Amino acid sequence: MKDRFEREISYLRVSVTDLCNLRCRYCMPEEGVEKLAHEQILSIEEIDGIVRACARCGVKKVRLTGGEPLVRRGIVDICRNAAGAPGVEEVCLTTNGVLLPELAGPLYEAGVRRLNISLDTMQPEKYAAITRRGELADVMRGLDAAREAGFDRTKINCVLMGGVNDDEIADFVELTRE
């Protein structure tokens, strides 16, 4: 499959939910978003059909995102289906990491091999201020759980904000070295 500039398209990004368990200041209003009716979101079977159709057209990598994909009911099944689609070579997931302590193992077993974890600060007070809820310790436990589950190519996504967390760049570099 090629785009209008003749570039190969081999990467599919699927948002599995618009919901999130955090309310990051740059991403979501404090009150969250209105929950869509069940029939307004893609079912597990519909997501599977889209992934399989795209794989037949040459997609080799699937990234699952949200909102926060780990709040989606059936996320492990969605991951397993994507990893099992003929032609799909890699399934990745972008998450805030809060629910990874419970889900890292099942996600790895389902075939997810790469995680992108959003983490904008390594200071608990700033984390609470940026996310408006949640605790930094939960994400750090999520990082540990991912490592223990076998994830060895985890990326950290950080939104740098002047005067908020731009003084932590060296801390993030050190975290990625670990």
Side-chain angles (χ1 to χ4, degrees), residues 11-15 59 61-66 94 116 157:
Y11 172 58
L12 174 66
R13 187 177 184 113
V14 181
S15 176
V59 164
K61 176 181 171 183
V62 176
R63 173 169 307 284
L64 301 171
T65 67
T94 298
N116 281 16
N157 292 337

Side-chain angles (χ1 to χ4, degrees), residues 121-134:
T121 181
M122 293 177 44
Q123 297 178 17
E125 305 80 30
K126 283 186 190 178
Y127 185 85
I130 292 169
T131 65
R132 297 188 186 123
R133 55 173 67 175

Side-chain angles (χ1 to χ4, degrees), residues 16 26 45 48 50 54 62 65 74 86 113 116 127 135 140 163 170:
V16 298
Y26 57 83
E45 297 78 17
D48 185 42
I50 290 167
C54 290
V62 176
T65 67
R113 289 298 175 262
N116 281 16
Y127 185 85
E135 295 183 23
M140 301 313 284

Side-chain angles (χ1 to χ4, degrees), residues 2-105:
K2 294 185 179 195
D3 68 10
R4 64 185 178 142
F5 300 107
E6 295 298 311
R7 295 175 295 195
E8 284 292 322
I9 299 172
S10 62
Y11 172 58
L12 174 66
R13 187 177 184 113
V14 181
S15 176
V16 298
T17 183
D18 58 333
L19 301 177
C20 187
N21 51 347
L22 300 178
R23 298 292 178 269
C24 296
R25 296 184 173 279
Y26 57 83
C27 184
M28 188 172 288
E30 189 167 6
E31 65 278 1
V33 295
E34 187 175 331
K35 187 174 181 179
L36 295 173
H38 184 71
E39 58 274 357
Q40 291 180 291
I41 63 170
L42 293 172
S43 68
I44 293 172
E45 297 78 17
E46 289 169 326
I47 293 170
D48 185 42
I50 290 167
V51 169
R52 288 177 181 273
C54 290
R56 285 191 300 272
C57 294
V59 164
K60 295 177 181 1
K61 176 181 171 183
V62 176
R63 173 169 307 284
L64 301 171
T65 67
E68 169 49 45
L70 299 187
V71 301
R72 169 69 192 257
R73 183 174 287 133
I75 188 60
V76 174
D77 292 329
I78 292 168
C79 294
R80 185 177 297 108
N81 292 345
V88 172
E89 297 172 0
E90 184 177 38
V91 176
C92 310
L93 190 133
T94 298
T95 176
N96 61 35
V98 172
L99 298 176
L100 280 176
E102 302 89 39
L103 290 171

Side-chain angles (χ1 to χ4, degrees), residues 141-154:
R141 281 191 292 275
L143 282 167
D144 290 339
R147 219 177 358 253
E148 290 169 17
F151 290 100
D152 59 2
R153 297 189 302 153
T154 300

